[in-house]
Amino acid sequence: MEWLRFIAAAILILLGLIMELIAVFGVYRFKFVLNRMHSAAIGDTLALGLVIAGLIVMKGFSLVSLKLLFVLFCLWVASSVSGHVLSRMEVTIDEEDVHKNCEVQE
Amino acid sequence: MSRMRNDYESTLWSRIEKFVNGEEPEQTMKRKKKSRASYEQVKREDVFMEDILLRMERREEESFLEKVEEYGEKRRVRRYERIYRILAVFLCFTVMAVLLVTVSYLPPFGNPDNPANNEVIERYIEKGLQETGTVNVVTGMILNYRGFDTMGETHVLFIAATSVTILLLAVSEKDKKRASDRSFEPKNDIILQKAAKVLVPVIFMFGIYVIMNGHLSPGGGFSGGAMIGAGMILYAGAFGFAKTDRIFNGHVIKIAKISALCLYVSSLSYYFYTGANGIENHIPLGTPGNLFSSGLIFFINIFVGTEVACTMYTFYALFRRGGL
């Protein structure tokens, strides 16, 4: 049982790290701002969720895991919304670049 | 009833008042008027072309007088600048020399006999809980043992905040009316508003928790106040100032800020007075670990938190819309 739990936690955390690496790769690789914001948001949401899920599986269900879930909730709300606001600001300010690269509904 | 003095115009106070109001002092105004009047007189005479010699004389005299005046002023300015430079260099070198001499007298680094390694730290750790009633010894140290130092720091912070506010308020009416980038930014973002509705109460709760538990766990007025200020900034950013102004406008901020500062200083002064005179301060310390324990430190944390939160929100409002 302990083995199974450890393997599951390790897989989750490793998946989270891979997602984070993909996010960093995307941030440096893409040229257009909104694409970069998108890949940064992967790191903010999916990678973070996977790592915290792995930690919860490793520790078992206790007060600590409840606190971790709370942290996850706050970060999911805050960082994804901040990404949204930043992207919207970018669409507002840099109209030329945005219209050249993608279709935006006004 | 007080009556204005007959020679009020020539007193020092009236000159200061005129300077503060931005008016020109009496003497220079007179001088300007006089010179302009005589110049116009000269011009009128110019039309008649009668006594050219007299006019030329007058003009020469006038320009000569002006030159003398200008020269005198310039010379004064130049002399002032020279003395200023010499004094500045002299002061810099003096301070440098004093500091270098002091450095050479400092004890070697890491020596166990250094004055920093004295009984003070031991006393803080051993008797801190008993004497101040705070479980978190750091709070007991900065608000009780070293309260004088903390009060000085708070005053420095307050003066800095006040001067920044003065600088930011000095915006002319023309700049305010000019269209800025603010008018183009997206407003009433529904996603941000929903997120703020979820997050702001949590942030407020956490900030209040940190302030109230400043004597029991890490935290205190400064950090908790910063959290509450951040929550208010998030709310103002999501819903705009029209909503926050209903409850938290400039008037409320002024009252909260000034009363918090006064209460903070007076409660710390009570500690100073009783401590310096060796009087019992009659404030029960309570059982350590309870919420209402450790005497005045609990309330001092609340005052400091209010002050910091108001200052943070004020700065945001000043940068965002140029006024409270």
Side-chain angles (χ1 to χ4, degrees):
Chain A
M1 203 53 199
E2 282 294 306
W3 271 99
L4 274 178
R5 178 184 274 184
F6 180 74
I7 288 170
I11 287 173
L12 280 171
I13 292 176
L14 277 177
L15 266 177
L17 284 180
I18 290 168
M19 287 298 161
E20 193 67 55
L21 279 177
I22 291 171
V24 171
F25 183 73
V27 167
Y28 281 98
R29 184 77 184 162
F30 280 128
K31 289 279 180 281
F32 180 47
V33 188
L34 291 183
N35 288 343
R36 296 168 92 169
M37 288 297 310
H38 175 217
S39 71
I42 292 175
D44 274 347
T45 49
L46 184 58
L48 199 85
L50 282 171
V51 169
I52 286 185
L55 288 176
I56 288 172
V57 169
M58 194 178 268
K59 270 284 178 187
F61 198 75
S62 63
L63 193 65
V64 177
S65 59
L66 210 69
K67 283 180 189 172
L68 279 173
L69 275 178
F70 185 67
V71 168
L72 180 65
F73 165 74
C74 282
L75 281 174
W76 267 5
V77 173
S79 60
S80 50
V81 168
S82 74
H84 160 76
V85 173
L86 268 177
S87 308
R88 197 168 165 191
M89 199 72 199
E90 168 62 27
V91 171
T92 317
I93 290 172
D94 199 359
E95 269 181 30
E96 222 176 288
D97 206 17
V98 169
H99 280 290
K100 204 164 65 189
N101 282 287
C102 59
E103 290 173 13
V104 187
Q105 284 179 347
E106 287 301 321
Chain B
M1 280 292 282
S2 59
R3 197 171 59 86
M4 195 182 273
R5 274 165 58 179
N6 288 333
D7 55 344
Y8 178 72
E9 292 290 316
S10 59
T11 51
L12 182 68
W13 179 249
S14 85
R15 263 182 283 160
I16 290 173
E17 195 187 343
K18 273 182 186 161
F19 172 72
V20 169
N21 289 335
E23 287 168 29
E24 277 179 284
E26 186 84 355
Q27 287 170 344
T28 51
M29 247 167 46
K30 251 185 205 164
R31 204 185 292 153
K32 267 188 187 169
K33 254 184 202 163
K34 204 176 168 188
S35 64
R36 178 151 316 149
S38 58
Y39 180 69
E40 267 165 16
Q41 208 180 347
V42 169
K43 224 178 173 182
R44 211 181 298 137
E45 279 167 10
D46 195 353
V47 181
F48 292 108
M49 293 286 279
E50 279 185 18
D51 35 7
I52 299 170
L53 265 176
L54 187 69
R55 187 194 60 175
M56 275 178 73
E57 229 170 57
R58 258 192 199 167
R59 197 178 266 177
E60 249 170 35
E61 193 185 339
E62 208 171 80
S63 63
F64 178 74
L65 276 176
E66 267 177 14
K67 253 185 201 167
V68 166
E69 259 170 29
E70 256 178 38
Y71 184 72
E73 265 175 30
K74 261 187 194 167
R75 205 174 55 177
R76 245 185 295 157
V77 168
R78 245 183 295 156
R79 200 190 294 154
Y80 168 77
E81 272 184 355
R82 200 175 297 150
I83 291 173
Y84 178 84
R85 274 184 201 152
I86 292 167
L87 271 181
V89 170
F90 176 72
L91 208 70
C92 279
F93 274 103
T94 320
V95 171
M96 257 162 67
V98 168
L99 286 179
L100 283 175
V101 169
T102 319
V103 163
S104 68
Y105 278 112
L106 281 180
F109 179 74
N111 194 359
D113 297 331
N114 280 355
N117 302 328
N118 51 13
E119 69 275 6
V120 173
I121 298 163
E122 262 174 48
R123 165 118 184 191
Y124 285 166
I125 293 170
E126 280 171 5
K127 291 202 171 170
L129 178 62
Q130 187 195 333
E131 283 179 350
T132 64
T134 54
V135 179
N136 179 10
V137 186
V138 176
T139 307
M141 239 164 70
I142 63 166
L143 290 182
N144 197 322
Y145 288 122
R146 306 185 55 181
F148 205 68
D149 182 63
T150 311
M151 195 169 85
E153 267 172 32
T154 323
H155 280 139
V156 169
L157 270 179
F158 186 69
I159 290 165
T162 313
S163 43
V164 170
T165 312
I166 289 167
L167 283 178
L168 286 176
L169 279 175
V171 181
S172 64
E173 291 295 317
K174 214 166 70 184
D175 283 355
K176 266 187 196 169
K177 278 174 190 161
R178 211 175 52 200
S180 64
D181 296 346
R182 293 266 167 249
S183 49
F184 297 113
E185 78 177 24
K187 284 192 186 84
N188 295 327
D189 192 318
I190 192 87
I191 297 176
L192 181 61
Q193 284 182 355
K194 293 288 172 200
K197 251 183 197 171
V198 175
L199 280 182
V200 166
V202 179
I203 294 173
F204 276 177
M205 286 284 284
F206 191 57
I208 290 168
Y209 165 79
V210 168
I211 290 178
M212 301 276 254
N213 273 29
H215 55 295
L216 302 177
S217 59
F222 289 101
S223 37
M227 276 172 211
I228 292 179
M232 288 196 291
I233 289 171
L234 175 61
Y235 197 80
F239 292 96
F241 283 105
K243 284 221 169 179
T244 50
D245 273 352
R246 276 190 216 153
I247 302 170
F248 208 72
N249 48 22
H251 189 61
V252 176
I253 289 177
K254 250 180 233 162
I255 290 173
K257 227 174 154 174
I258 291 169
S259 57
L261 199 74
C262 290
L263 284 168
Y264 166 70
V265 172
S266 54
S267 51
L268 267 181
S269 308
Y270 180 69
Y271 267 155
F272 298 154
Y273 184 75
T274 52
N277 292 315
I279 309 169
E280 186 87 16
N281 60 15
H282 295 297
I283 295 168
L285 287 179
T287 46
N290 281 5
L291 185 60
F292 290 102
S293 64
S294 76
L296 283 179
I297 288 177
F298 176 70
F299 300 102
I300 290 172
N301 263 329
I302 292 174
F303 301 145
V304 173
T306 316
E307 176 71 28
V308 172
C310 289
T311 308
M312 284 199 57
Y313 181 77
T314 311
F315 278 171
Y316 176 72
L318 283 171
F319 276 114
R320 182 81 188 257
R321 60 173 175 179
L324 266 177

